[in-house]
Amino acid sequence: MSVITQMCYAMILVSVIDHCLKPYLLRKWLGITLWVAGTYGLFAFPDKYWYELDIWLVSLLISGSGSSLFFRRRRFDHLD
């Protein structure tokens, strides 16, 4: 699977999660968990592949999506 395809799939998944996940606490803790897991993956698996997925790229995208969820956790507060 090419890098472009991996990035497209990841961006679609991150966009769906960001749009559908509305509770504050769930966004906060999922964001922290994804950020920690992504950061760990960046340093623990620098040059590994898993079923043709580049683990470094996946870890980078997971870390970015976690920080996006955490820093924009109050996005849906005005709807309550």
Side-chain angles (χ1 to χ4, degrees), residues 53-67:
L53 289 175
D54 186 6
I55 298 298
W56 191 84
L57 178 65
V58 171
S59 296
L60 186 66
L61 293 171
I62 287 173
S63 179
S65 66
S67 63

PDB file of all heavy atoms in Angstrom, residues 53-67:
ATOM      1  N   LEU A  53       2.086  -1.599   6.282  1.00  0.00           N
ATOM      2  CA  LEU A  53       1.835  -0.275   6.844  1.00  0.00           C
ATOM      3  C   LEU A  53       3.117   0.241   7.473  1.00  0.00           C
ATOM      4  O   LEU A  53       3.760  -0.455   8.250  1.00  0.00           O
ATOM      5  CB  LEU A  53       0.747  -0.334   7.913  1.00  0.00           C
ATOM      6  CG  LEU A  53      -0.677  -0.572   7.454  1.00  0.00           C
ATOM      7  CD1 LEU A  53      -1.589  -0.715   8.659  1.00  0.00           C
ATOM      8  CD2 LEU A  53      -1.150   0.552   6.576  1.00  0.00           C
ATOM      9  N   ASP A  54       3.469   1.454   7.156  1.00  0.00           N
ATOM     10  CA  ASP A  54       4.642   2.082   7.753  1.00  0.00           C
ATOM     11  C   ASP A  54       4.270   2.526   9.166  1.00  0.00           C
ATOM     12  O   ASP A  54       3.465   3.442   9.349  1.00  0.00           O
ATOM     13  CB  ASP A  54       5.070   3.268   6.899  1.00  0.00           C
ATOM     14  CG  ASP A  54       6.358   3.891   7.359  1.00  0.00           C
ATOM     15  OD1 ASP A  54       6.993   3.329   8.271  1.00  0.00           O
ATOM     16  OD2 ASP A  54       6.737   4.930   6.787  1.00  0.00           O
ATOM     17  N   ILE A  55       4.819   1.855  10.171  1.00  0.00           N
ATOM     18  CA  ILE A  55       4.452   2.115  11.560  1.00  0.00           C
ATOM     19  C   ILE A  55       4.833   3.533  11.977  1.00  0.00           C
ATOM     20  O   ILE A  55       4.109   4.173  12.741  1.00  0.00           O
ATOM     21  CB  ILE A  55       5.105   1.075  12.495  1.00  0.00           C
ATOM     22  CG1 ILE A  55       4.602  -0.326  12.155  1.00  0.00           C
ATOM     23  CG2 ILE A  55       4.828   1.386  13.961  1.00  0.00           C
ATOM     24  CD1 ILE A  55       3.119  -0.514  12.325  1.00  0.00           C
ATOM     25  N   TRP A  56       5.939   4.063  11.459  1.00  0.00           N
ATOM     26  CA  TRP A  56       6.336   5.421  11.809  1.00  0.00           C
ATOM     27  C   TRP A  56       5.298   6.431  11.322  1.00  0.00           C
ATOM     28  O   TRP A  56       4.911   7.341  12.053  1.00  0.00           O
ATOM     29  CB  TRP A  56       7.709   5.745  11.208  1.00  0.00           C
ATOM     30  CG  TRP A  56       8.270   7.011  11.739  1.00  0.00           C
ATOM     31  CD1 TRP A  56       8.964   7.171  12.897  1.00  0.00           C
ATOM     32  CD2 TRP A  56       8.158   8.310  11.155  1.00  0.00           C
ATOM     33  NE1 TRP A  56       9.303   8.496  13.064  1.00  0.00           N
ATOM     34  CE2 TRP A  56       8.820   9.214  12.012  1.00  0.00           C
ATOM     35  CE3 TRP A  56       7.561   8.797   9.994  1.00  0.00           C
ATOM     36  CZ2 TRP A  56       8.905  10.565  11.744  1.00  0.00           C
ATOM     37  CZ3 TRP A  56       7.647  10.149   9.730  1.00  0.00           C
ATOM     38  CH2 TRP A  56       8.303  11.017  10.599  1.00  0.00           C
ATOM     39  N   LEU A  57       4.809   6.246  10.106  1.00  0.00           N
ATOM     40  CA  LEU A  57       3.802   7.149   9.566  1.00  0.00           C
ATOM     41  C   LEU A  57       2.483   7.030  10.329  1.00  0.00           C
ATOM     42  O   LEU A  57       1.845   8.032  10.652  1.00  0.00           O
ATOM     43  CB  LEU A  57       3.580   6.863   8.079  1.00  0.00           C
ATOM     44  CG  LEU A  57       2.525   7.700   7.369  1.00  0.00           C
ATOM     45  CD1 LEU A  57       2.956   9.159   7.351  1.00  0.00           C
ATOM     46  CD2 LEU A  57       2.298   7.191   5.980  1.00  0.00           C
ATOM     47  N   VAL A  58       2.082   5.813  10.627  1.00  0.00           N
ATOM     48  CA  VAL A  58       0.848   5.597  11.386  1.00  0.00           C
ATOM     49  C   VAL A  58       0.967   6.216  12.779  1.00  0.00           C
ATOM     50  O   VAL A  58       0.027   6.858  13.261  1.00  0.00           O
ATOM     51  CB  VAL A  58       0.523   4.089  11.456  1.00  0.00           C
ATOM     52  CG1 VAL A  58      -0.613   3.821  12.409  1.00  0.00           C
ATOM     53  CG2 VAL A  58       0.189   3.545  10.082  1.00  0.00           C
ATOM     54  N   SER A  59       2.120   6.062  13.418  1.00  0.00           N
ATOM     55  CA  SER A  59       2.334   6.651  14.743  1.00  0.00           C
ATOM     56  C   SER A  59       2.280   8.171  14.685  1.00  0.00           C
ATOM     57  O   SER A  59       1.731   8.812  15.587  1.00  0.00           O
ATOM     58  CB  SER A  59       3.672   6.205  15.310  1.00  0.00           C
ATOM     59  OG  SER A  59       3.691   4.832  15.511  1.00  0.00           O
ATOM     60  N   LEU A  60       2.830   8.744  13.645  1.00  0.00           N
ATOM     61  CA  LEU A  60       2.788  10.194  13.478  1.00  0.00           C
ATOM     62  C   LEU A  60       1.349  10.686  13.308  1.00  0.00           C
ATOM     63  O   LEU A  60       0.948  11.682  13.916  1.00  0.00           O
ATOM     64  CB  LEU A  60       3.637  10.607  12.276  1.00  0.00           C
ATOM     65  CG  LEU A  60       3.820  12.083  12.041  1.00  0.00           C
ATOM     66  CD1 LEU A  60       4.627  12.698  13.173  1.00  0.00           C
ATOM     67  CD2 LEU A  60       4.501  12.316  10.719  1.00  0.00           C
ATOM     68  N   LEU A  61       0.566   9.981  12.524  1.00  0.00           N
ATOM     69  CA  LEU A  61      -0.829  10.374  12.323  1.00  0.00           C
ATOM     70  C   LEU A  61      -1.675  10.163  13.584  1.00  0.00           C
ATOM     71  O   LEU A  61      -2.556  10.969  13.880  1.00  0.00           O
ATOM     72  CB  LEU A  61      -1.415   9.608  11.143  1.00  0.00           C
ATOM     73  CG  LEU A  61      -0.817   9.970   9.784  1.00  0.00           C
ATOM     74  CD1 LEU A  61      -1.304   9.014   8.711  1.00  0.00           C
ATOM     75  CD2 LEU A  61      -1.156  11.397   9.411  1.00  0.00           C
ATOM     76  N   ILE A  62      -1.398   9.100  14.326  1.00  0.00           N
ATOM     77  CA  ILE A  62      -2.117   8.862  15.582  1.00  0.00           C
ATOM     78  C   ILE A  62      -1.789   9.959  16.591  1.00  0.00           C
ATOM     79  O   ILE A  62      -2.669  10.462  17.285  1.00  0.00           O
ATOM     80  CB  ILE A  62      -1.774   7.464  16.141  1.00  0.00           C
ATOM     81  CG1 ILE A  62      -2.452   6.390  15.318  1.00  0.00           C
ATOM     82  CG2 ILE A  62      -2.185   7.327  17.602  1.00  0.00           C
ATOM     83  CD1 ILE A  62      -2.042   4.989  15.686  1.00  0.00           C
ATOM     84  N   SER A  63      -0.532  10.331  16.685  1.00  0.00           N
ATOM     85  CA  SER A  63      -0.124  11.387  17.601  1.00  0.00           C
ATOM     86  C   SER A  63      -0.772  12.720  17.222  1.00  0.00           C
ATOM     87  O   SER A  63      -1.244  13.459  18.083  1.00  0.00           O
ATOM     88  CB  SER A  63       1.394  11.502  17.589  1.00  0.00           C
ATOM     89  OG  SER A  63       1.816  12.515  18.440  1.00  0.00           O
ATOM     90  N   GLY A  64      -0.812  13.016  15.946  1.00  0.00           N
ATOM     91  CA  GLY A  64      -1.451  14.254  15.491  1.00  0.00           C
ATOM     92  C   GLY A  64      -2.942  14.284  15.739  1.00  0.00           C
ATOM     93  O   GLY A  64      -3.501  15.303  16.140  1.00  0.00           O
ATOM     94  N   SER A  65      -3.606  13.163  15.528  1.00  0.00           N
ATOM     95  CA  SER A  65      -5.049  13.129  15.769  1.00  0.00           C
ATOM     96  C   SER A  65      -5.354  13.209  17.255  1.00  0.00           C
ATOM     97  O   SER A  65      -6.344  13.823  17.659  1.00  0.00           O
ATOM     98  CB  SER A  65      -5.665  11.875  15.161  1.00  0.00           C
ATOM     99  OG  SER A  65      -5.189  10.717  15.812  1.00  0.00           O
ATOM    100  N   GLY A  66      -4.514  12.605  18.087  1.00  0.00           N
ATOM    101  CA  GLY A  66      -4.706  12.706  19.531  1.00  0.00           C
ATOM    102  C   GLY A  66      -4.544  14.128  20.028  1.00  0.00           C
ATOM    103  O   GLY A  66      -5.329  14.603  20.854  1.00  0.00           O
ATOM    104  N   SER A  67      -3.539  14.821  19.528  1.00  0.00           N
ATOM    105  CA  SER A  67      -3.362  16.212  19.947  1.00  0.00           C
ATOM    106  C   SER A  67      -4.487  17.096  19.418  1.00  0.00           C
ATOM    107  O   SER A  67      -4.909  18.034  20.094  1.00  0.00           O
ATOM    108  CB  SER A  67      -1.999  16.737  19.509  1.00  0.00           C
ATOM    109  OG  SER A  67      -1.892  16.735  18.118  1.00  0.00           O
TER     110      SER A  67
END
